């Protein structure tokens, strides 16, 4: 369930009068689809595989096969995975606002499959590969399973997962667009992220600096909980559909901004 009902009601009132919304999502929103998170006690990906071994540029240079096996395993696991009610509710919120920008740290593509129209992947995509030597060649979507790993690039080099590894810069165009959406939004949401990986974790704080009302949805407290106007304690698969319903009712009752 959420935090105090006043927290939920304040979130509904803020969303009810919002025109532009920015939502940062993390692995938590995909957890109810069966995608393991990174740091969940007992199931987190990094408990099973040290991230230094598979998610850094050094690892990719040192042992590309090991990194490819890790991302092929994640693609394989996605075969039986579908968006969950949290993804769908967020996608249906597209019709409630002039702008709803989903800034996702996730690489699974579930927001797009659920129908969200404006998704910025600040950590890349599991379904895209690019040239290790930046010759410009990209394949999106890359066939799964890969015919051979690491796959050859047409320039003679090899291809790598087009995801942002630890110690790598975020794609500058996407990150700038995410920051601008955060600065300009009326409400910023943080959905299912532990807020420990920067600079993505700081995007809701950019929204707050820009004067937005900021809402966190997470079953647990995070490192940034104290910075949010409201922190709703619960799974996104439960809270987002309830927020969607409540904002629709709020609007139908003539509260919040008029629908022109
Ligand atoms: C960068 C893509 C500039 C790949 C990911 C030393 C050297 C270099 C860099 C650093 C350094 N020290 C610190 C840094 C910065 C580093 C960083 O922040 N490290 C952390 C660990 C301290 N950041 C970087 O390296 C970034 N780049 O800084 O570039 C630079 C360049 C060179 C040198 C210096 C600086 C790049 C980071 C991107 C890494 N790539 N993913 C892949 O996915 O395989 S990170 C990955 O983990 C995610 O993308 C996400 O961003 C991050 C955090 O994960 P979450 O999504 O939050 O998931 P998590 O498991 O942590 O939490 C799940 C949450 O869900 C929990 O809160 C849980 O309560 C909640 N939950 C559970 N169930 C539900 C739920 N919520 C809702 N509903 C539920 N049902
Ligand atoms: Zn190439």
């Amino acid at each position: 369930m959420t935090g105090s009902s006043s927290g939920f009601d304040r979130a509904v009132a803020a969303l009810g009068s919002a025109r532009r919304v920015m939502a940062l999502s993390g692995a938590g929103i995909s957890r109810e689809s069966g995608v393991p998170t990174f740091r969940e006690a007992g199931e987190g990906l990094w408990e099973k595989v040290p991230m230094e071994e598979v998610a850094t540029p050094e690892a990719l240079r040192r042992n590309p096969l090991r990194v490819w096996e890790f991302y092929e395993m994640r693609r394989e696991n996605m075969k039986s995975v579908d968006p969950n009610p949290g993804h769908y509710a967020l996608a249906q919120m597209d019709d409630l606002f002039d702008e709803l920008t989903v800034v996702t740290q996730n690489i699974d593509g579930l927001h797009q499959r659920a129908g969200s129209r404006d998704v910025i992947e600040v950590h890349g995509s599991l379904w895209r590969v690019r040239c290790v030597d930046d010759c410009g060649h990209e394949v999106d979507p890359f066939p799964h399973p890969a015919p051979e790993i690491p796959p050859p690039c047409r320039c003679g080099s090899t291809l790598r997962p087009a995801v942002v590894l630890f110690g790598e810069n975020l794609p500058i165009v996407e990150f700038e667009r995410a920051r601008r959406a955060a600065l300009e939004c009326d409400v910023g949401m943080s959905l299912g992220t532990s807020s420990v990986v920067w600079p993505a974790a700081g995007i809701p704080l950019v929204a707050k600096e820009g004067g937005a009302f900021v809402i966190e949805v997470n079953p647990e407290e995070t490192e940034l909980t104290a910075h949010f106007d409201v922190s709703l304690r619960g799974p996104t698969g439960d809270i987002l559909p309830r927020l969607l319903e409540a904002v629709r009712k709020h609007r139908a009752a003539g509260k919040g901004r008029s629908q022109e």
Side-chain angles (χ1 to χ4, degrees), residues 130-137 152-159:
R130 65 179 174 83
C131 178
V132 167
D133 290 335
D134 294 322
C135 78
H137 184 43
C153 179
R154 65 185 180 199
C155 74
S157 178
T158 55
L159 296 168

Side-chain angles (χ1 to χ4, degrees), residues 114-125:
S116 280
R117 286 196 291 269
D118 186 8
V119 181
I120 305 176
E121 295 176 317
V122 290
H123 286 164
S125 167

Side-chain angles (χ1 to χ4, degrees), residues 25-32 36-40 43-46 51 54-55 70-71 74 104-107 122-124 126 163-170 191-201 217-222 234-237:
S25 71
I29 199 169
S30 296
R31 187 159 171 241
E32 288 158 274
T37 60
F38 292 96
R39 292 169 184 81
E40 217 64 29
E43 68 158 66
L45 270 175
W46 299 146
M51 65 95 157
V54 293
F70 176 65
Y71 285 98
R74 291 182 59 195
T104 189
Q105 301 171 86
N106 302 336
I107 61 175
V122 290
H123 286 164
L126 195 53
V163 300
V164 179
L165 303 176
F166 283 96
E168 292 188 318
N169 285 315
L170 276 60
L191 307 173
T193 181
S194 60
S195 303
V196 300
V197 174
W198 294 77
V217 180
N218 196 312
E220 291 167 26
E221 220 174 278
T222 70
T236 39

Side-chain angles (χ1 to χ4, degrees), residues 67-175:
V67 173
W68 262 97
E69 281 160 358
F70 176 65
Y71 285 98
E72 281 290 272
M73 174 273 290
R74 291 182 59 195
R75 265 193 283 273
E76 181 62 22
N77 292 346
M78 283 299 297
K79 268 190 349 195
S80 54
V81 165
D82 291 314
N84 66 62
H87 293 108
Y88 285 117
L90 185 61
Q92 287 165 45
M93 287 187 190
D94 273 352
D95 301 334
L96 290 176
F97 309 109
D98 297 348
E99 282 165 39
L100 169 51
T101 307
V102 177
V103 178
T104 189
Q105 301 171 86
N106 302 336
I107 61 175
D108 54 32
L110 290 176
H111 285 299
Q112 296 91 323
R113 283 179 53 195
S116 280
R117 286 196 291 269
D118 186 8
V119 181
I120 305 176
E121 295 176 317
V122 290
H123 286 164
S125 167
L126 195 53
W127 309 110
R128 187 172 67 246
V129 298
R130 65 179 174 83
C131 178
V132 167
D133 290 335
D134 294 322
C135 78
H137 184 43
E138 273 197 359
V139 185
D140 183 7
F142 184 66
H144 170 75
E148 64 173 298
I149 54 174
C153 179
R154 65 185 180 199
C155 74
S157 178
T158 55
L159 296 168
R160 58 162 281 180
V163 300
V164 179
L165 303 176
F166 283 96
E168 292 188 318
N169 285 315
L170 276 60
I172 190 71
V173 169
E174 285 79 0
F175 189 59

Side-chain angles (χ1 to χ4, degrees), residues 180-194:
R180 199 165 49 250
L183 267 179
E184 293 170 357
C185 72
D186 304 310
V187 170
M189 297 200 281
S190 168
L191 307 173
T193 181
S194 60

